[in-house]
Structure formats: structure tokens, C-alpha cells
Amino acid sequence: MKDCESGFEKEVYTALFSRGYHVVPQVKAGSFRIDMVVEGADDSRLAIECDGDEFHGPDRWAADMSRQRVLERAGWTFWRCFAST
């Protein structure tokens, strides 16, 4: 998928898409961007953040979690996917 920003994001996108999920990469949410969103029935949405070493090293963790908390207060549900696992 050309909109994915890393090889890890492409792997996650492909795995979800191949299982029949409707996946939208790089979704704008207010002043933020979410790596990808899985859209389901009844307008349900799951925000997925792909934490690979290339883009989300330890120095970014506090900022990433702060951004996630803001978006959760706005109604988003998150799943963090770690490249290391």
C-alpha cells in the first residue's frame, strides 16, 4: 500500500486486508494522523498505531502516549502493534 510510511506498516496493512478487514492508512484525526484505521459494522473504528523502531523509538514514547490519550478522549479506541513482538 503506497500510503503506508514504513515496511512494518505495510506488513500490518497487508495482514489485516488479506483477512477481509477494511483498512484505511494514514487517517487524519484533528491535528493528528493515525497510522491506520480498521472500519467495521455500525460505524465502529479501531485506530492502529504501528510502533516500529524506525519511527517510534523510546524517545517518542511519551509524545505518542500523550497524543493517544487526546484521541481516546475524543472517542477513538487504540491498538498498538509493536514490531518487536
Side-chain angles (χ1 to χ4, degrees):
M1 168 44 82
K2 66 180 175 69
D3 292 331
C4 294
E5 291 188 333
S6 71
F8 179 54
E9 281 185 25
K10 288 177 187 173
E11 289 177 35
V12 172
Y13 174 91
T14 300
L16 292 168
F17 183 80
S18 69
R19 287 170 176 79
Y21 291 100
H22 182 253
V23 185
V24 181
Q26 303 304 319
V27 173
K28 188 159 175 54
S31 62
F32 302 113
R33 203 165 22 97
I34 300 169
D35 289 340
M36 62 189 75
V37 172
V38 176
E39 296 179 338
D42 301 321
D43 292 325
S44 62
R45 298 180 300 174
L46 175 67
I48 298 177
E49 283 296 310
C50 297
D51 293 327
D53 292 335
E54 183 177 342
F55 288 96
H56 294 278
D59 58 318
R60 291 284 308 148
W61 184 252
D64 285 349
M65 294 312 299
S66 176
R67 179 178 63 92
Q68 179 175 328
R69 284 190 295 275
V70 168
L71 291 170
E72 286 173 332
R73 284 193 298 271
W76 286 94
T77 300
F78 272 81
W79 179 60
R80 297 196 84 83
C81 183
F82 297 94
S84 60
T85 58

